[in-house]
Amino acid sequence: MTRRIRLTPAMCGLLLDMYETGSAYPLDRNHRRTFDALEERDYIEHVSWGRWRITPLGETIAKQLTAKERNH
């Protein structure tokens, strides 16, 4: 059974940006909440002060999202 992935547009955008660039850091408190939500799902991880990177699971999800965008 396939589990449906539910992400907000902000979460999708951030995950895809990190997939393309490899890392990122939150710009403000609202942006930080998006990072925290993705970290709870184990899609990204905190690397060092202010720096985050995508996890292998996050990379898999980002690949699925890009494939989904190409099909639409």
Side-chain angles (χ1 to χ4, degrees):
M1 184 156 109
T2 306
R3 195 176 86 181
R4 184 169 179 236
I5 300 166
R6 298 184 66 186
L7 300 173
T8 66
M11 292 165 77
C12 288
L14 176 60
L15 193 61
L16 291 173
D17 285 345
M18 290 182 74
Y19 177 63
E20 292 173 3
T21 62
S23 68
Y25 60 94
L27 303 173
D28 59 23
R29 187 181 298 175
N30 288 335
H31 203 214
R32 174 61 192 243
R33 284 186 259 178
T34 304
F35 277 74
D36 290 342
L38 288 172
E39 183 183 35
E40 286 175 12
R41 290 167 173 79
D42 197 32
Y43 297 162
I44 64 173
E45 63 186 354
H46 188 251
V47 179
S48 65
W49 188 85
R51 298 299 284 172
W52 299 72
R53 71 175 170 212
I54 195 165
T55 64
L57 177 60
E59 207 170 297
T60 301
I61 300 302
K63 286 178 186 176
Q64 291 175 1
L65 291 172
T66 54
K68 191 176 181 182
E69 286 180 0
R70 280 188 228 139
N71 291 331
H72 288 314

